[in-house]
Amino acid sequence: MANKAGSQAPFIIVFGGDAYLNKRTGRDLIRRALHDRPDAERIDLDATGCDQYAFDEAVSPSLLADVAVVVVDNLQNADDKLGESMVRYCRQACADPGASSIVICRHEGGVKGKRLLDQLVKAGACKETVADLKKPEAKLNFVLQIFEGEHRRVEPLAAQQLVAVLGERTGEMAAMCSQLCFDFDDDPITLDLVNRYLTSNPQVTGFSVADKAIAGRTAEAIIAMRAAVEQGTDPIALIGALAMKLRTIAKASAVKAGTITQAQAKTNPWVLKNAMRQLSGWTSAGLGQCIRMLAWADEQSKTNGGDPVYALERCIELISHKGRD
């Protein structure tokens, strides 16, 4: 990402990957460019509606500054004329980076705009490929890297819980990691601390209730459920979390029986491993009974005359007896 003089490359493309990481990478590059060129003017363009004249004007000296940091979003949407102008400027800038404006483009990934991307790279642009974080292991590594960057440690189960709950919302997950490091001196950060920060998340509360029920701790599970409802958690959210937990146990049972593979289960490996440990005493009939009871509880929570808290209690009792009435 640096030219021969050691400074930032004059034309950089942030390509694909996780949307949050793509944006964050672009933001870091912009910050560095403005730091390196304190007199530069920042100009933001969107290739979706930008033409070649707007780009040419942006990279040219102005009354305000001799150079600019030009940020171009949605590079994949650039038309042919804009693309030609960008390639032409890229060659010029890479030949004389010290006197040129810096251009930082963000491309959402995929095949759209590939021809222009290839032309720009051939002309000397630096392509910064962003990780996609699609696999659970990649998300877990991302969490561990955040704590590492803060010079802190995190318990494996705590990191896994963050991924299980917030793994589809990278920005929230990153913010939660940073907030935990800021608020607590504990090293490592524990599962208890993570759950304390996630108590407002019905999925976490539902998993906690389900774990207590599956362990046969009926009274504790019911008390936890009632406390959550009193604090404003919608019963239907708890029902959904309980159902998700039981579906995971069903998948673990199918994997153990050889009916499906771990890949076909499409479940985080550590979540599946934990469900395997909870399989003892469960039968297909018992799982089916509990899932049917949860469907009934779901109906009760959506009916004006229903009693969702009573229905949840019935579900918890049945789950704690592994589906045996």
Side-chain angles (χ1 to χ4, degrees):
M1 195 162 42
N3 59 35
K4 291 178 182 177
S7 59
Q8 193 171 30
F11 205 111
I12 306 168
I13 303 164
V14 182
F15 180 79
D18 178 85
Y20 168 79
L21 285 185
N22 185 297
K23 191 170 184 179
R24 191 181 74 170
T25 302
R27 189 173 61 243
D28 291 344
L29 289 168
I30 294 163
R31 189 183 299 118
R32 181 182 163 191
L34 291 170
H35 178 269
D36 290 348
R37 306 277 187 91
D39 297 329
E41 176 187 6
R42 172 173 172 169
I43 300 173
D44 291 275
L45 302 173
D46 190 322
T48 306
C50 173
D51 60 27
Q52 66 183 104
Y53 304 109
F55 176 78
D56 289 341
E57 183 180 354
V59 295
S60 301
S62 70
L63 293 173
L64 298 175
D66 290 334
V67 295
V69 174
V70 181
V71 182
V72 182
D73 284 331
N74 296 308
L75 178 64
Q76 71 280 352
N77 295 333
D79 63 27
D80 290 343
K81 291 294 183 182
L82 174 59
E84 289 169 10
S85 184
M86 294 178 85
V87 171
R88 188 164 53 247
Y89 179 76
C90 183
R91 287 199 193 96
Q92 173 192 321
C94 291
D96 188 12
S100 302
S101 293
I102 294 175
V103 178
I104 299 169
C105 303
R106 291 180 58 237
H107 188 296
E108 68 178 13
V111 296
K112 188 177 181 182
K114 185 178 182 303
R115 180 169 169 271
L116 173 57
L117 187 68
D118 292 343
Q119 288 176 333
L120 287 168
V121 171
K122 189 175 179 181
C126 173
K127 181 182 175 186
E128 184 92 357
T129 302
V130 178
D132 60 27
L133 298 189
K134 287 183 179 176
K135 294 183 178 178
E137 293 84 355
K139 295 174 183 177
L140 183 61
N141 287 334
F142 173 68
V143 166
L144 296 174
Q145 284 168 11
I146 293 175
F147 282 100
E148 224 173 80
E150 300 277 357
H151 306 291
R152 300 288 292 280
R153 293 177 301 137
V154 58
E155 288 182 350
L157 286 176
Q160 291 165 8
Q161 180 74 315
L162 285 164
V163 173
V165 178
L166 299 174
E168 300 306 314
R169 304 189 294 280
T170 311
E172 287 183 40
M173 187 163 66
M176 179 66 75
C177 293
S178 298
Q179 193 66 46
L180 284 162
C181 290
F182 181 80
D183 288 348
F184 299 104
D185 293 327
D186 303 56
D187 198 28
I189 294 293
T190 63
L191 176 61
D192 179 60
L193 290 177
V194 168
N195 280 340
R196 197 186 304 175
Y197 263 42
L198 294 173
T199 49
S200 62
N201 188 302
Q203 190 179 69
V204 175
T205 307
F207 285 170
S208 174
V209 171
D211 282 336
K212 288 179 172 64
I214 287 167
R217 291 148 54 193
T218 313
E220 287 181 42
I222 289 174
I223 290 168
M225 178 273 292
R226 284 177 178 167
V229 171
E230 285 172 10
Q231 290 167 16
T233 301
D234 192 329
I236 198 167
L238 292 175
I239 291 166
L242 288 164
M244 186 184 298
K245 187 78 175 180
L246 286 180
R247 283 195 297 271
T248 303
I249 289 178
K251 287 180 181 180
S253 176
V255 169
K256 189 175 182 181
T259 309
I260 61 173
T261 64
Q262 284 196 23
Q264 288 171 327
K266 295 181 180 178
T267 303
N268 290 349
W270 57 86
V271 173
L272 198 63
K273 187 177 179 181
N274 187 49
M276 289 280 192
R277 290 196 291 265
Q278 296 173 323
L279 276 176
S280 178
W282 280 99
T283 64
S284 295
L287 277 168
Q289 181 81 344
C290 288
I291 290 169
R292 283 192 293 274
M293 178 69 81
L294 282 166
W296 168 75
D298 181 76
E299 185 181 340
Q300 290 294 301
S301 70
K302 294 173 181 175
T303 305
N304 289 334
D307 186 343
V309 175
Y310 169 73
L312 268 168
E313 287 184 7
R314 289 289 311 281
C315 289
I316 288 168
E317 288 169 357
L318 190 64
I319 290 169
S320 67
H321 293 97
K322 302 190 188 299
R324 300 177 183 90
D325 289 321

